Amino acid sequence: MSGKTIPFSARISVEDAEFISTLEFDGARTPSEKLRGLLAETRRQQSSCEDYAQNLSQAQELFGKMKHQLLVRQQSLNYLPDATLRVLDTLPDLFASLQTLTARSANLSTQELQAADADMLDKIFYLNALLLPLAITSQHTSHTKQKTAFDLATLLHEYKQNHMEKKHE
């Protein structure tokens, strides 16, 4: 992007002006600086990035904000839903992996795509392994949900056994 700037004028609603005033970007104080920051952030988010680390940083920032909001609200209610927090902790890696895979997919062979698919399944199984104990022990879980959770636990166990056997071959 060039350093050259052009004047830009637009009419916006009072709500949008208030929103812009609440935005926080590095060193941005004026509405113009905040608008430039918003544009740079939007451009960065929309660019297809093959760099996992950058995608992970973006995902951690996004899901971190969600987690922060949730924790603040939960603190005020003295309530801590473990399942939601576990999902929010796991999603940045899953999301960044999907972003990276999507950006790289045009250059990947069938074998590389299959390996990426297997890696994605591992991440999903990991999330399930984090959530299953909560589903089984939850006070709000019906008998049907507990049976489903036990069935999933059995599947996870079988998957892990098969996965470990394949690694040792």
Side-chain angles (χ1 to χ4, degrees), residues 52 80 89 104 128:
Y52 172 80
L80 189 66
D89 286 339
R104 294 177 181 170
N128 282 328

Side-chain angles (χ1 to χ4, degrees), residues 6 34 162:
I6 60 169
K34 290 181 179 192
N162 291 338

Side-chain angles (χ1 to χ4, degrees), residues 59-123:
Q60 285 173 324
E61 183 180 334
L62 171 68
F63 291 107
K65 288 177 183 177
M66 290 179 196
K67 184 177 178 181
H68 176 80
Q69 285 180 312
L70 188 62
L71 286 171
V72 168
R73 178 63 180 146
Q74 290 168 348
Q75 166 63 24
S76 70
L77 298 173
N78 198 25
Y79 173 70
L80 189 66
D82 287 336
T84 305
L85 293 176
R86 288 183 186 196
V87 169
L88 286 172
D89 286 339
T90 308
L91 280 180
D93 174 51
L94 186 61
F95 188 73
S97 297
L98 284 168
Q99 271 186 305
T100 306
L101 175 61
T102 302
R104 294 177 181 170
S105 65
N107 300 320
L108 297 179
S109 68
T110 302
Q111 285 181 321
E112 290 169 322
L113 284 170
Q114 288 171 340
D117 197 36
D119 184 48
M120 199 59 58
L121 280 175
D122 286 343
K123 292 173 189 295

